[in-house]
Amino acid sequence: METINKKAPEPVRKKAKIDRMTDAKGFRYTKNQAVNQEPDLVEYVLDEKYRAVKPYWFTYKTFCKARWRDRNIVDIFTNEFRARKPQDYINALEAGLVFVNGSEIDSSYILRNGDLLEHKTHTHEPKVSSKPIKIVFESDDLVVIDKPSSLTAHPVGRFRFNTVTKILDKELGIIAHPINRLDRLTSGLMFLCKNPKMAEKMRQSLFNREFSKEYIARVAGEFPLCLNNNVITVDKPIASFDARTTLNIVDEKNGKPSQTVFQRISYDPKSNTSIVKCKPLTGRTHQIRVHLQYLGFPIANDPIYSNAKAWGPGLGKNAKYDKELSETVKVLEGNGKVSTTQTWLSKGVEIEGEKFSGNYCDICKTELYTDPSQDELSLWLHAFKYESLKNEDPNENWSYSTDIPLWCTSLYDSYMKKALLEADKCEATDKAFNVGCLIVKDDAIVSSGFSRELEGNTHAEQNAITKLIVQKKCIPEGSVLYTTMEPCSERLSGNIPCVERIIEQSDRIETVVIGCLEPQTFIENNTSLKKLSENGINYIILPGFKEQAEKIAFKGHPEK
């Protein structure tokens, strides 16, 4: 599960001297975007856990939406916005902080078509993770990032400056507009365009489904095995049920067509969780999360779809709800306000985290909240890989990927360390690499091997598999093979390449976990990763092991 990201010359970043409410590069802003009044100075405060924004005054302006016409202003505030309590909006009206068409209004006002609504607020943005936004690729037209969990793509709701676009602008001088939007808690690949021409090209490509998306998730329970290119497909329509809590459901009558393909990568019995590869073929809000819930394997730390308090013991499997959805909404509305979040992972226990502290702001009297826990800032769902579907012009093909997050790699680290101990058993030589291998089923090592352990110029994977064959044992179904170096796809000795030996066991081995790619010392252009994928075997390049794996691999080689 790794690709080599395309490189580009370092782009020229020009900090445009413009009014931020207009666009120097030709993007069309809506009226609402053009009239919002931002403060002149915004101050970020970062520590090892959080990124915070000091409270600031902000005037939010918006023209009357169609669904607001002929409705009372209090009704609109209290039913359309969740950032504050209903009484806060009433207080703002009484304090003269709400205007329509430039004139102060009171709580009796009925909004009409064409009205310009203004609300001046003393804004307290929630804290987000202080993990940096990683630049995966950048050119003069496009920037591809690895978005940390907890950041929204652009200003929305309670978040304005703790957002991707604002942080890129204010800290890196990058003015760009999102093409794909990840949920706030979802991490991973995001594409942002720097000019309208590239934006239109990417939007058209997205509309025409000219590229594929691959996510990884960690879900509750033992997800079904998917060997020999078998997958599980969910083809169920999705509809929004409650916009305030962003609750979406499978809705056969009113939902929009939605399709997601799933394949298990591995199962961890200690935590009773599975790592699952997810390929959404459509792009509905919360699609992966809703379809995993439908299957009965919600994302294990999902505050919406694995919340037993909100859904009942069945957790919404097969769209059968143990509670009325209105009751579910009430529970979700209380998350982060009257109570901290509960998930499948918390086992019904309320974790420490964000909720009303009992204190109020001295300036605006709004409720103040405790800091969110690190668990509340992360969702075990990551946009791992995007790539173009086959184009006639090879120069138009592209592929971008990110490192796999810690909540996934932590399940594999201990076995990779043991595989490195196997590799270190090799006698030093300058004629071959030193590699270690383990075959693991659930929480048990069923075989191990290291380079040249058995007679001849044998490889680690070959030895681990051969030992079982000699003992007349089969590799258990759903095993994970760990190797400190990418399996070979060609043998100069004429022996069967290790990748072919692994593919022969494709009805048994579901995933290969790799410490480092094979250096091109003996063979150029190793094609094993491509062959594994073509034969339905997952692979993961485990971050953090490359240096040690290569050091052991080159033991006995002349120093460079």
Side-chain angles (χ1 to χ4, degrees):
M1 295 175 63
E2 181 179 87
T3 58
I4 306 302
N5 297 315
K6 294 174 65 176
K7 294 182 179 180
E10 185 67 21
V12 178
R13 294 180 183 165
K14 296 180 179 180
K15 190 68 172 179
K17 296 180 179 180
I18 60 171
D19 177 0
R20 291 293 186 223
M21 295 303 101
T22 63
D23 197 315
K25 297 192 175 183
F27 286 103
R28 293 182 179 179
Y29 272 57
T30 65
K31 289 181 179 179
N32 294 345
Q33 291 171 316
V35 297
N36 286 328
Q37 293 181 1
E38 294 185 344
D40 294 329
L41 180 65
V42 174
E43 186 175 350
Y44 288 114
V45 180
L46 284 85
D47 58 31
E48 62 181 11
K49 290 183 178 180
Y50 303 108
R51 172 188 289 274
V53 179
K54 288 191 174 182
Y56 56 89
W57 284 98
F58 175 76
T59 301
Y60 178 79
K61 300 185 180 184
T62 180
F63 285 92
C64 178
K65 302 180 186 298
R67 66 178 182 273
W68 296 354
R69 295 172 187 172
D70 303 321
R71 287 171 59 187
N72 175 263
I73 186 63
V74 176
D75 173 44
I76 293 168
F77 272 145
T78 56
N79 288 289
E80 296 281 344
F81 301 98
R82 185 172 177 256
R84 297 176 182 270
K85 294 180 69 174
Q87 187 60 45
D88 291 337
Y89 295 113
I90 295 172
N91 292 342
L93 286 159
E94 293 176 349
L97 297 176
V98 182
F99 301 81
V100 169
N101 304 324
S103 299
E104 183 181 326
I105 64 168
D106 61 26
S107 58
S108 66
Y109 190 84
I110 304 297
L111 212 61
R112 306 299 184 190
N113 185 32
D115 279 350
L116 173 61
L117 174 65
E118 301 179 52
H119 179 201
K120 186 175 183 180
T121 66
H122 187 242
T123 303
H124 298 255
E125 288 197 33
K127 291 182 178 180
V128 298
S129 170
S130 61
K131 291 180 181 178
I133 297 173
K134 296 179 182 178
I135 304 296
V136 175
F137 168 86
E138 187 181 5
S139 68
D140 290 334
D141 299 316
L142 177 71
V143 58
V144 184
I145 67 166
D146 184 354
K147 181 187 86 70
S149 187
S150 77
L151 288 183
T152 63
H154 54 77
V156 63
R158 298 186 296 164
F159 299 90
R160 185 158 197 88
F161 295 101
N162 265 341
T163 61
V164 168
T165 54
K166 293 296 183 181
I167 293 170
L168 289 177
D169 178 7
K170 293 189 173 296
E171 296 192 350
L172 297 177
I174 299 175
I175 302 173
H177 296 249
I179 298 302
N180 69 314
R181 294 179 181 137
L182 301 179
D183 297 340
R184 180 176 70 87
L185 291 179
T186 303
S187 59
L189 286 172
M190 265 189 63
F191 294 75
L192 300 98
C193 293
K194 297 182 178 182
N195 57 64
K197 184 177 179 180
M198 176 57 75
E200 182 57 32
K201 179 180 179 182
M202 291 294 290
R203 286 193 186 99
Q204 194 62 43
S205 180
L206 182 65
F207 179 78
N208 293 333
R209 299 183 186 177
E210 293 174 350
F211 54 84
S212 65
K213 301 175 283 186
E214 187 172 309
Y215 291 65
I216 51 173
R218 186 171 172 184
V219 307
E222 186 174 2
F223 199 85
L225 263 173
C226 301
L227 298 170
N228 286 329
N229 272 320
N230 288 321
V231 296
I232 293 174
T233 301
V234 178
D235 190 354
K236 290 291 179 180
I238 292 175
S240 171
F241 183 82
D242 183 69
R244 282 163 52 89
T245 57
T246 64
L247 174 63
N248 291 267
I249 61 170
V250 167
D251 187 334
E252 300 281 5
K253 182 179 179 181
N254 302 309
K256 295 180 179 179
S258 309
Q259 191 176 54
T260 315
V261 176
F262 299 100
Q263 183 180 28
R264 193 180 92 172
I265 294 175
S266 64
Y267 169 66
D268 175 51
K270 286 184 177 179
S271 62
N272 189 27
T273 60
S274 302
I275 301 295
V276 178
K277 181 164 62 178
C278 319
K279 301 186 82 169
L281 304 183
T282 49
R284 310 302 176 202
T285 301
H286 291 188
Q287 177 175 316
I288 293 173
R289 298 164 68 178
V290 172
H291 279 171
L292 283 170
Q293 182 195 44
Y294 177 83
L295 288 174
F297 301 94
I299 294 172
N301 70 338
D302 195 322
I304 295 179
Y305 301 103
S306 78
N307 187 327
K309 185 178 179 181
W311 296 97
L315 290 177
K317 182 179 180 180
N318 295 325
K320 295 178 180 178
Y321 307 124
D322 300 320
K323 295 186 174 186
E324 293 291 331
L325 287 174
S326 58
E327 293 298 313
T328 296
V329 169
K330 287 181 181 179
V331 173
L332 297 179
E333 282 184 330
N335 281 352
K337 291 185 176 294
V338 298
S339 65
T340 56
T341 301
Q342 291 186 22
T343 68
W344 177 91
L345 195 65
S346 65
K347 309 300 181 187
V349 177
E350 190 174 308
I351 61 175
E352 291 188 7
E354 184 181 19
K355 66 178 181 179
F356 176 47
S357 66
N359 300 316
Y360 298 84
C361 174
D362 292 335
I363 296 174
C364 64
K365 308 306 179 185
T366 190
E367 294 178 342
L368 300 178
Y369 293 85
T370 54
D371 289 342
S373 68
Q374 293 303 296
D375 289 335
E376 289 177 306
L377 295 180
S378 174
L379 179 70
W380 287 350
L381 179 64
H382 182 76
F384 166 72
K385 181 179 179 182
Y386 276 62
E387 62 183 359
S388 60
L389 300 176
K390 208 165 188 180
N391 290 312
E392 294 182 3
D393 182 358
N395 294 321
E396 291 294 316
N397 289 325
W398 49 264
S399 180
Y400 300 104
S401 65
T402 68
D403 283 340
I404 295 176
L406 181 62
W407 50 258
C408 176
T409 61
S410 61
L411 298 178
Y412 307 119
D413 285 354
S414 63
Y415 289 111
M416 184 56 70
K417 290 175 181 177
K418 292 177 181 179
L420 286 168
L421 294 176
E422 290 293 316
D424 211 22
K425 294 177 183 179
C426 299
E427 293 185 2
T429 178
D430 63 352
K431 300 293 191 294
F433 292 126
N434 307 305
V435 179
C437 177
L438 299 178
I439 298 175
V440 178
K441 168 61 177 175
D442 292 338
D443 198 29
I445 298 173
V446 297
S447 188
S448 63
F450 58 88
S451 301
R452 302 175 300 284
E453 178 184 9
L454 300 181
E455 185 177 353
N457 183 22
T458 54
H459 285 192
E461 301 93 325
Q462 173 185 356
N463 292 332
I465 294 172
T466 299
K467 285 180 183 180
L468 290 175
I469 294 174
V470 170
Q471 298 173 44
K472 297 184 179 180
K473 294 181 179 179
C474 291
I475 296 175
E477 283 189 345
S479 292
V480 176
L481 185 144
Y482 291 78
T483 178
T484 59
M485 182 178 286
E486 176 185 13
C488 63
S489 60
E490 183 178 346
R491 293 291 301 272
L492 297 176
S493 64
N495 285 329
I496 298 174
C498 290
V499 71
E500 300 296 340
R501 296 177 187 272
I502 294 171
I503 290 171
E504 287 176 357
Q505 303 291 331
S506 62
D507 60 340
R508 301 282 172 175
I509 297 173
E510 65 176 341
T511 297
V512 176
V513 181
I514 300 166
C516 70
L517 298 176
E518 181 182 3
Q520 297 188 12
T521 305
F522 303 111
I523 299 292
E524 293 186 359
N525 301 320
N526 189 321
T527 60
S528 64
L529 302 185
K530 180 181 178 182
K531 290 181 178 179
L532 289 173
S533 292
E534 290 174 347
N535 287 274
I537 300 176
N538 299 300
Y539 67 84
I540 292 175
I541 310 294
L542 205 57
F545 288 93
K546 180 178 183 293
E547 183 177 352
Q548 189 177 0
E550 287 186 348
K551 181 179 178 181
I552 295 174
F554 281 101
K555 184 172 64 175
H557 289 231
E559 292 188 8
K560 295 181 180 179

